[in-house]
């Protein structure tokens, strides 16, 4: 490196490309032999943290050496076929290349004039996603950094719609408090958004669920009536299509009926489960999402895009713009209206926005929608297979109906420490990486089959080891 330029010369670009290709091939070919959870060498990580940045550059070779020697060994192998701890699968095969191209082009997807092709690609992706749920001609959406951000943006839109003077007057005056409703199985992002937006945790009603972990509409109806009688202002229900612990789908149709009757905004958190609409076996259960005012999706889950790629769909794009468009005194941000293009800065909180759509668009074109349909169906089939193994195994109890791909397993009579030991043994021996869970107050372990690399052999291996460990782990005193 000559120390005067931030551009690689031709030889350096060629070498970087060679090393990247070598790294990609090596990593791909070694996935099944790599430990799923790394053996964390804290001394090495401490040195990495404390190491000063050099005054003179070390060059391309040194960078790739650092990746291979000091980063990868201490990185969780998300792409391992038995990484089943979270609703996070490995990236699809084209994702890394699309990310690299997006970085080279470095489009800022705020004003369409400075990213016209990227703008069209994002609209294309959002139109396709919206079409999965038949949201209607006024619908649309925006890519976000994830499901939590999409949910917060949806609630912002709901507040702005229900209180048109919210932007000017805020929530700081003596008015009836807005009340939000969700289930006790909802994702933490719902209450976090309520806190950050000023709704307040005291104004979030957590509605109990039934034996299938679905929000009870009768109790929701009662809570709304009680709040109205108390002088409060119900404004939004957040239903869930795929709860993170058990994969349950709330009764969207009856909830939508109630929201229409009560004039409430209906948001559906479908970050985990909504894209199972691609699979024949779950499509009918998810089509009622067409009645939602807004939907959270996560392409970095079931479309297997590299992190980050969330999405917010809305039935009426005009309401999204009403919540986020601001006139600007900055003349450099002057926008030119175009019927076919959007200024995304007016449809979400960000100004600077990366070209997230390319990796989603690239995957849909490279592999075809049919491949994603097949993969989502396979994940459902594998989860059902694991659930059947558990239900038949002595010493194990299946704790949830396997509606989607979450499978919660309990060793009856064993305490939380025994279940933590079960997880540790599975990790240390390299069998699988699962996560902890609690279902109906019982400690258990949870597998979530949202991994396009997982096979029947992986599921059978896991089921057999769970059965064996349930027999051999010591019982609590």
């Amino acid at each position: 490196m000559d120390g005067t330029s931030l551009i690689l010369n031709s030889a350096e670009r060629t070498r970087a490309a060679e090393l990247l290709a070598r790294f990609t091939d090596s990593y791909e070919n070694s996935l099944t032999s790599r430990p799923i959870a790394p053996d964390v060498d804290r001394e090495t990580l401490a040195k990495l943290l404390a190491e000063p940045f050099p005054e003179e550059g070390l060059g391309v070779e040194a960078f790739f050496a650092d990746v291979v020697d000091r980063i990868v060994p201490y990185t969780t192998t998300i792409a391992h076929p038995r990484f089943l701890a979270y609703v996070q699968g490995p990236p699809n095969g084209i994702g890394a290349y699309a990310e690299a191209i997006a970085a080279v082009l470095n489009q800022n997807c705020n004003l369409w004039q400075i990213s016209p092709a990227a703008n069209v690609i994002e609209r294309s992706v959002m139109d396709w996603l919206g079409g999965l749920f038949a949201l209607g001609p006024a619908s649309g959406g925006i890519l976000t950094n994830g499901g939590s951000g999409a949910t917060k943006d949806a609630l912002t839109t709901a507040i702005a719609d229900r209180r048109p003077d919210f932007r000017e007057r805020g929530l700081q005056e003596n008015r009836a408090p807005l009340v939000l409703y969700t289930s006790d199985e909802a994702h933490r992002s719902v209450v976090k958004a309520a806190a950050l937006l000023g709704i307040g945790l005291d104004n979030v009603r957590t509605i109990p669920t039934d034996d299938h972990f679905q929000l009870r509409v009768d109790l929701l109806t009662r809570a709304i009536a009680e709040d109205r009688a108390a002088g409060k202002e119900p404004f939004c229900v957040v239903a869930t299509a795929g709860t993170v612990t058990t994969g349950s789908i709330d009764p969207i149709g009856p909830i939508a009926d109630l929201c229409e009757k009560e004039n409430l905004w209906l948001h559906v958190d479908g970050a985990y489960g909504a894209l199972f609409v691609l699979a024949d076996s779950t499509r009918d259960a998810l089509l009622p999402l067409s009645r939602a005012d807004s939907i959270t999706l996560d392409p970095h889950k079931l479309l297997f895009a590299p992190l980050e790629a969330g999405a917010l769909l809305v039935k009426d794009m005009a309401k999204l713009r009403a919540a986020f468009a601001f006139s600007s005194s900055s003349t450099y941000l002057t926008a030119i209206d175009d019927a076919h293009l959007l200024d995304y800065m007016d449809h979400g909180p960000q100004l600077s926005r990366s070209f997230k759509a390319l990796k989603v668009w690239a995957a849909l074109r490279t592999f075809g929608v049919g491949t994603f349909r097949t993969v989502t169906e396979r994940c459902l089939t594998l989860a059902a297979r694991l659930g059947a193994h558990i239900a038949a195994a002595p010493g194990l109890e299946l704790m949830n109906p396997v509606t989607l791909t979450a499978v919660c397993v309990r060793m009856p009579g064993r305490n939380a420490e025994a279940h933590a030991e079960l997880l540790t043994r599975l990790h240390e021996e390299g069998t699988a990486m699962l996560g902890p869970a609690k279902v109906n107050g019982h400690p258990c372990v949870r597998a979530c089959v949202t991994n396009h690399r997982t096979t029947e052999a992986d599921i059978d291996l896991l089921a057999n080891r769970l059965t064996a460990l349930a027999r051999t782990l010591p019982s609590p005193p």
Side-chain angles (χ1 to χ4, degrees):
M1 313 301 288
D2 67 10
T4 63
S5 173
L6 296 174
I7 301 171
L8 299 181
N9 61 37
S10 178
E12 289 166 337
R13 285 195 298 273
T14 298
R15 185 57 176 154
E18 292 172 349
L19 292 170
L20 178 60
R22 182 187 302 173
F23 168 76
T24 303
D25 285 344
S26 174
Y27 193 72
E28 175 72 27
N29 293 330
S30 64
L31 281 176
T32 57
S33 61
R34 288 185 176 278
I36 306 173
D39 182 10
V40 177
D41 183 339
R42 299 193 179 279
E43 183 178 350
T44 298
L45 293 181
K47 289 179 180 178
L48 194 62
L49 175 64
E51 184 176 303
F53 292 105
E55 186 64 27
E56 295 184 6
L58 303 178
V60 167
E61 298 269 358
F63 164 68
F64 278 94
D66 278 342
V67 170
V68 171
D69 297 336
R70 302 203 293 171
I71 296 177
V72 172
Y74 310 108
T75 298
T76 302
T77 309
I78 303 297
H80 192 286
R82 294 190 299 279
F83 177 85
L84 304 171
Y86 304 106
V87 189
Q88 179 184 349
N92 59 65
I94 199 65
Y97 302 97
E99 285 277 73
I101 291 168
V104 171
L105 298 176
N106 201 35
Q107 298 291 278
N108 190 344
C109 299
N110 52 10
L111 292 164
W112 73 258
Q113 297 102 308
I114 61 173
S115 55
N119 191 282
V120 169
I121 286 173
E122 183 162 354
R123 287 201 69 181
S124 173
V125 168
M126 297 311 301
D127 286 350
W128 177 76
L129 289 170
L132 295 175
F133 303 98
L135 287 177
S139 66
I142 185 169
L143 290 175
T144 68
N145 60 356
S148 295
T151 293
K152 182 161 68 68
D153 294 350
L155 295 184
T156 302
T157 308
I159 294 172
D161 183 63
R162 291 302 186 261
R163 286 200 174 164
D165 61 353
F166 167 63
R167 180 177 297 180
E168 290 74 28
R169 300 173 66 181
L171 298 175
Q172 301 301 323
E173 55 187 333
N174 188 23
R175 302 171 73 179
L178 296 173
V179 184
L180 171 71
Y181 304 85
T182 194
S183 88
D184 57 15
E185 290 286 315
H187 192 268
R188 71 182 68 182
S189 61
V190 178
V191 293
K192 182 182 286 189
L196 294 175
L197 291 172
I199 296 168
L201 298 182
D202 287 346
N203 297 310
V204 178
R205 299 286 177 265
T206 302
I207 307 300
T209 51
D210 61 19
D211 291 342
H212 290 81
F213 309 102
Q214 298 173 306
L215 185 149
R216 285 185 54 181
V217 181
D218 59 330
L219 298 182
L220 173 63
T221 304
R222 182 190 306 171
I224 293 169
E226 290 172 350
D227 284 327
R228 289 201 191 281
K232 298 185 177 183
E233 184 179 341
F235 84 104
C236 179
V237 176
V238 178
T240 307
T243 56
V244 289
T245 300
T246 63
S248 298
I249 301 171
D250 285 335
I252 305 298
I255 293 172
D257 290 340
L258 180 61
C259 287
E260 288 179 4
K261 177 183 175 183
E262 297 286 348
N263 190 30
L264 305 182
W265 184 280
L266 173 57
H267 176 67
V268 178
D269 176 5
Y272 167 17
L275 282 170
F276 279 108
V277 73
L278 291 166
D280 289 340
S281 61
T282 46
R283 183 172 299 121
D284 288 347
L286 293 163
L287 287 180
L289 269 69
S290 64
R291 301 180 64 189
D293 294 290
S294 54
I295 304 171
T296 291
L297 301 173
D298 265 358
H300 63 217
K301 291 187 171 72
L302 285 181
L303 295 183
F304 305 100
L307 293 166
E308 302 165 344
L312 171 62
L313 290 172
V314 291
K315 189 180 290 290
D316 187 348
M317 278 290 275
K319 293 183 178 182
L320 194 62
R321 180 180 171 83
F324 289 105
F326 283 77
S327 59
S328 174
S329 60
S330 302
T331 56
Y332 75 95
L333 290 177
T334 301
I336 301 171
D337 289 337
D338 187 286
H340 301 289
L341 298 156
L342 283 177
D343 290 315
Y344 279 104
M345 68 176 185
D346 290 335
H347 295 81
Q350 288 182 272
L351 182 56
S352 299
R353 301 179 65 247
S354 66
F355 191 5
K356 288 183 173 67
L358 183 61
K359 56 195 173 188
V360 182
W361 184 83
L364 291 170
R365 289 182 61 82
T366 300
F367 299 108
V369 175
T371 302
F372 286 98
R373 296 189 191 280
T374 299
V375 169
T376 53
E377 193 71 71
R378 186 165 68 235
C379 288
L380 291 163
T381 300
L382 290 174
R385 184 184 184 93
L386 179 58
H389 274 301
I390 300 306
L396 295 175
E397 181 182 359
L398 180 64
M399 296 298 291
N400 66 303
V402 185
T403 306
L404 295 178
T405 60
V407 182
C408 296
V409 185
R410 174 184 174 225
M411 298 183 292
R414 308 293 182 89
N415 58 16
E417 288 75 16
H419 287 84
E421 176 63 19
L422 175 62
L423 290 177
T424 299
R425 291 282 291 274
L426 291 171
H427 296 178
E428 289 181 346
E429 70 187 25
T431 298
M433 187 169 182
L434 308 186
K438 184 174 285 189
V439 177
N440 288 332
H442 297 293
C444 51
V445 301
R446 170 180 167 278
C448 192
V449 189
T450 49
N451 187 329
H452 63 81
R453 296 176 181 271
T454 306
T455 66
E456 290 184 353
D458 294 309
I459 294 298
D460 294 346
L461 172 63
L462 172 59
N464 290 335
R465 285 302 294 150
L466 284 169
T467 303
L469 288 170
R471 288 197 303 264
T472 58
L473 285 174
S475 299

